[in-house]
Amino acid sequence: MSPALRERDVDTRELMDDPHADARMLARTYGRFGLVNALVSRPGTLYRRDIRPRVARSRPLRILDVGAGGGDLCRMLAGRLRRDGLEAEITALDVDERAIRWASAHDRGAGIRYRRALTTELVAEGETYDVVLSNHVLHHLDDAELRVVLDDSLRLLAPGGLVTHRDIARSRGAHALFAAATWPLSGTVLADSFIREDGLISIRRSYTVAELRTIAPNGWTVRGGVPSRLELRWEGHHARP
């Protein structure tokens, strides 16, 4: 691995996280997340493997998306559940007011609940969910923040529930592939957005599977996947530590 990728680059901040980021570029970035995540995050697998099988006919499935950003994953899940005739209550949580404002304005009838809050606030309110998930959030956190999110995730989890935090795994191959794949689109589909530069920063900030395994608390499972994916997972049938 190249020197720049041997350790997490936690000192470099993503452009979209700047509170003074250009509003037009930020909005365009939120609007392109759905396309990018569909290509790199495999949300269909998440739905088929972890969401649809957990729906009970007796009540709606309660889902919490931590760090939901522009809400594209929530909208996708809501659409597929509706298509399959299944009920769910989906909460999109983010600490950034700009993200919540954009996502709620682009709900498109999905019926998602948008909250600007921390996970600790939901814990204090006594909220519980059948599925707690995140996508591309772990790399934003330092190790201490990660432990807080994981602890809160378990406190928010209903009996028998699932936590799945999914992110990109840091590697030279992931960095090179993303750079190559996004370069031809930088002047068209991804123009006037932070997608390409922030994506490369995200990879440099990300954990490797081995790093995550060394810091994950007991009971958590760390999985790797293709292309350059990682998942930090808790199944509700485990005894809590």
Side-chain angles (χ1 to χ4, degrees):
M1 194 178 297
S2 66
L5 290 164
R6 282 185 187 143
E7 297 180 349
R8 293 187 67 206
D9 183 11
V10 294
D11 295 325
T12 302
R13 189 182 197 182
E14 293 182 33
L15 300 179
M16 66 178 297
D17 290 337
D18 184 341
H20 305 294
D22 181 272
R24 181 179 58 85
M25 292 182 67
L26 187 61
R28 189 168 174 85
T29 300
Y30 291 142
R32 294 295 179 269
F33 274 158
L35 171 63
V36 174
N37 285 330
L39 295 175
V40 303
S41 301
R42 302 176 67 190
T45 300
L46 170 69
Y47 177 72
R48 291 188 299 273
R49 184 189 70 180
D50 293 324
I51 302 298
R52 186 172 60 192
R54 292 178 177 273
V55 178
R57 296 291 178 179
S58 58
R59 63 177 179 83
L61 187 74
R62 300 201 76 213
I63 302 171
L64 174 67
D65 184 359
V66 179
D72 58 281
L73 179 58
C74 292
R75 290 192 297 274
M76 185 280 289
L77 293 176
R80 294 205 177 191
L81 287 161
R82 185 179 298 112
R83 179 198 64 190
D84 291 344
L86 304 173
E87 291 188 80
E89 297 173 358
I90 303 176
T91 298
L93 187 75
D94 206 289
V95 297
D96 194 328
E97 182 180 359
R98 301 169 302 174
I100 292 299
R101 186 168 57 245
W102 190 94
S104 59
H106 294 81
D107 182 72
R108 300 168 191 162
I112 295 161
R113 181 190 185 199
Y114 298 93
R115 287 285 309 271
R116 178 179 179 261
L118 296 166
T119 52
T120 50
E121 295 176 62
L122 271 61
V123 170
E125 295 169 8
E127 294 280 4
T128 59
Y129 301 88
D130 303 299
V131 179
V132 177
L133 60 86
S134 72
N135 188 54
H136 293 165
V137 169
L138 300 185
H139 67 265
H140 289 275
L141 311 175
D142 61 30
D143 291 354
E145 291 168 334
L146 174 65
R147 284 190 288 272
V148 171
V149 168
L150 298 187
D151 184 59
D152 286 349
S153 296
L154 296 187
R155 292 175 183 273
L156 290 166
L157 195 63
L162 166 72
V163 182
T164 173
H165 294 300
R166 305 161 80 233
D167 206 345
I168 194 160
R170 189 180 79 254
S171 71
R172 181 173 55 191
H175 196 271
L177 180 61
F178 188 84
T182 54
W183 173 251
L185 305 176
S186 59
T188 54
V189 176
L190 303 182
D192 296 322
S193 79
F194 300 123
I195 293 289
R196 187 169 193 272
E197 188 165 355
D198 274 1
L200 295 172
I201 294 172
S202 296
I203 295 169
R204 298 199 299 272
R205 287 186 56 95
S206 293
Y207 292 93
T208 64
V209 171
E211 288 169 346
L212 207 52
R213 282 176 176 158
T214 64
I215 63 173
N218 291 337
W220 290 87
T221 300
V222 180
R223 299 177 176 178
V226 177
S228 297
R229 304 297 300 168
L230 59 78
E231 179 188 25
L232 188 53
R233 184 180 181 91
W234 174 280
E235 301 268 7
H237 58 264
H238 289 162
R240 298 200 178 200

